[in-house]
Amino acid sequence: MVYWHLFLAFFIPGTVGYGGGPASIPLIQKEVVDRYGWLTMEEFGELLALGNTLPGPIATKMAGYIGYEVGGLFGAFVALFATVAPSLIAMIFLLGLLNKFKNSPKVKRMTALIRPTIAVLLGVLAYQFFVTSWEGVGMVQTVFLTGASFLLLEKWKIHPAYVILGALVYGALFLS
């Protein structure tokens, strides 16, 4: 039964997570934290942070790790397959159709209208991480790390992987 749950937990986000890996992260969080309880919100945040520092698509890295933790090597395979299968099937069957209508104003408008929904999903996830951090390490550390990360990313254009690594080092030195 655990393999079926792993499959569903990653197949559903892979199916409705339009917009790529980052768009499916809130959906994965809903499944693995809220529905199945395999991870706490804090553990999910740590996994997401670590996954972002490593090369490759985030959703597959998370699926592989969570699948392995929940169901061993076969669990990792099931979760990875469930993550990749929806996109693979869609590409095989729909790529020709999409290419045929890619210049259609309706298709362009439909794609543009999905973006606000994805932005809200990511915003809700960011808010949950902010609250978890606030409750875990306090206001001063949370505000400092939020402000420093924002400046490093937006003003000085530091690669996100270095910002995440810096936050991990800061946490290891000052918060452990």
Side-chain angles (χ1 to χ4, degrees):
M1 194 62 149
V2 72
Y3 298 118
W4 177 245
H5 288 164
L6 274 170
F7 180 81
L8 290 177
F10 289 96
F11 186 78
I12 292 169
T15 303
V16 297
Y18 183 84
S24 65
I25 297 303
L27 303 170
I28 293 170
Q29 176 259 321
K30 182 72 176 171
E31 297 293 322
V32 303
V33 174
D34 297 341
R35 176 180 273 180
Y36 295 109
W38 292 323
L39 298 176
T40 65
M41 189 64 187
E42 184 177 342
E43 292 169 332
F44 186 82
E46 291 169 355
L47 177 61
L48 180 62
L50 184 60
N52 272 321
T53 63
L54 301 172
I58 185 69
T60 53
K61 288 181 285 189
M62 294 185 79
Y65 177 80
I66 294 168
Y68 183 78
E69 286 293 313
V70 172
L73 201 55
F74 188 66
F77 172 77
V78 169
L80 278 170
F81 177 76
T83 301
V84 174
S87 298
L88 182 62
I89 293 167
M91 284 186 65
I92 290 170
F93 291 109
L94 299 175
L95 194 57
L97 189 65
L98 186 62
N99 278 334
K100 185 176 180 181
F101 297 106
K102 70 180 179 184
N103 293 325
S104 163
K106 285 184 179 180
V107 171
K108 286 182 179 180
R109 196 169 45 245
M110 182 182 73
T111 302
L113 289 173
I114 289 172
R115 290 184 184 134
T117 303
I118 293 168
V120 168
L121 287 171
L122 291 173
V124 168
L125 184 62
Y127 173 74
Q128 290 172 344
F129 285 155
F130 189 82
V131 169
T132 302
S133 176
W134 187 288
E135 293 171 352
V137 297
M139 177 187 69
V140 172
Q141 301 295 341
T142 300
V143 170
F144 171 73
L145 286 170
T146 301
S149 297
F150 181 80
L151 289 173
L152 290 168
L153 290 168
E154 293 299 317
K155 185 171 183 176
W156 294 299
K157 306 294 183 197
I158 303 296
H159 192 280
Y162 295 123
V163 175
I164 292 168
L165 278 174
L168 286 172
V169 170
Y170 179 86
L173 293 176
F174 299 109
L175 302 177
S176 59

